[in-house]
Amino acid sequence: MRYPLPTAFHFHAIVDLTYPLQPSFPIFPGQGSPAHICFQTTKEDGYASNRWELPEHWGTHFDAPLHYSKAGKSVGDIELPDLFSPLVLIDISENTTHNPDTLLTLEDILLWEERYGAIPENSVVLMYSGWEKWIQTPFFYNKKEDGLLHFPGFSLEAVQFLIHERKIAGIGVDTLSIDCGKSQDYPVHKTLFAAGKWGLECLCNLKELPPAGAWIFVATIPLKGATGFPARVIGFIP
């Protein structure tokens, strides 16, 4: 199907926001082993074909509303125009250096808007916490003596504001979860997906993006019934 573009675009750079996926990549607890199983077969005519088995929510991946909303859309139900959106980057990395439980708050959003104007409708709001520097180390999980993970995420108040007042398309993070690591009831997931919005987790290279003016494209596979799936995520810089 052919869709019209919302405006004229003039980009001078693209940024890959996607980690290469390999068996050692971190995975949110409870999904079993992250290691994929790959069977390679080579036929007499010389071609190779692999079979892959992997969790839906692993690596740089897309969370569809169905992930926490029984009536929500699956990955395959999201239409293409909803995956190409203005990009908003909110940097909370200065706070996370001192407090791994930092939340992106409503105050952070309002401070961003004081500098750059109101968040455009249908935007994707990304949290930059600087957590990428811990990838492939135990601190990416940051599990403490209390048995909980400790890494940044969105606050519920911030997400409610973005949904109802700014009518965003989705949100994304450079951590394992859009909820903070120590959350036990995942209110951000539940609220975001009940509203029909979507999420991105385990993004990288966010420091290469400007706070405002860029666009994002999420290249999902249209898998019917999937609650999420690894995706190629690309930032476009004007």
Side-chain angles (χ1 to χ4, degrees):
M1 183 177 293
R2 182 174 176 175
Y3 300 96
L5 287 174
T7 186
F9 296 100
H10 301 280
F11 300 119
H12 79 270
I14 61 174
V15 180
D16 194 345
L17 308 179
T18 315
Y19 282 106
L21 194 53
Q22 54 188 334
S24 62
F25 194 86
I27 189 169
F28 196 84
Q31 298 187 78
S33 172
H36 64 261
I37 302 172
C38 173
F39 303 98
Q40 186 178 64
T41 60
T42 303
K43 301 295 185 181
E44 291 181 0
D45 59 7
Y47 78 85
S49 178
N50 296 322
R51 177 176 176 176
W52 297 78
E53 297 182 11
L54 68 164
E56 289 181 328
H57 300 271
W58 182 39
T60 300
H61 66 274
F62 179 87
D63 279 1
L66 184 60
H67 186 32
Y68 267 83
S69 174
K70 292 181 179 180
K73 291 182 177 180
S74 73
V75 176
D77 297 322
I78 307 295
E79 295 189 0
L80 193 58
D82 294 327
L83 299 170
F84 185 57
S85 300
L87 186 156
V88 167
L89 184 74
I90 301 180
D91 186 345
I92 62 168
S93 60
E94 185 175 347
N95 294 331
T96 64
T97 301
H98 309 289
N99 177 17
D101 296 318
T102 296
L103 296 176
L104 190 157
T105 65
L106 176 56
E107 181 181 1
D108 293 320
I109 294 171
L110 297 179
L111 287 173
W112 187 96
E113 292 192 329
E114 284 183 12
R115 293 184 179 184
Y116 306 106
I119 291 173
E121 188 172 327
N122 200 46
S123 290
V124 176
V125 179
L126 304 183
M127 177 196 80
Y128 173 57
S129 71
W131 221 246
E132 179 179 358
K133 63 180 174 288
W134 305 116
I135 195 69
Q136 300 291 14
T137 74
F139 201 76
F140 196 72
Y141 291 95
N142 199 22
K143 189 173 184 179
K144 299 295 188 181
E145 293 78 8
D146 59 7
L148 302 177
L149 308 183
H150 292 268
F151 55 74
F154 277 81
S155 74
L156 177 59
E157 183 184 29
V159 169
Q160 289 172 329
F161 175 83
L162 292 171
I163 292 169
H164 300 296
E165 301 300 327
R166 296 296 178 261
K167 297 178 171 52
I168 59 161
I171 63 174
V173 296
D174 54 1
T175 60
L176 281 166
S177 174
I178 54 177
D179 280 283
C180 65
K182 67 178 183 178
S183 175
Q184 297 294 286
D185 53 356
Y186 312 115
V188 170
H189 278 81
K190 294 174 182 176
T191 301
L192 187 75
F193 300 140
K197 311 303 180 179
W198 49 261
L200 295 166
E201 294 170 333
C202 291
L203 295 167
C204 65
N205 296 325
L206 296 186
K207 63 184 176 182
E208 304 295 330
L209 298 171
W215 281 66
I216 190 171
F217 176 59
V218 185
T220 61
I221 299 172
L223 290 171
K224 291 289 187 178
T227 69
F229 209 72
R232 192 70 177 264
V233 185
I234 305 167
F236 296 83
I237 301 176

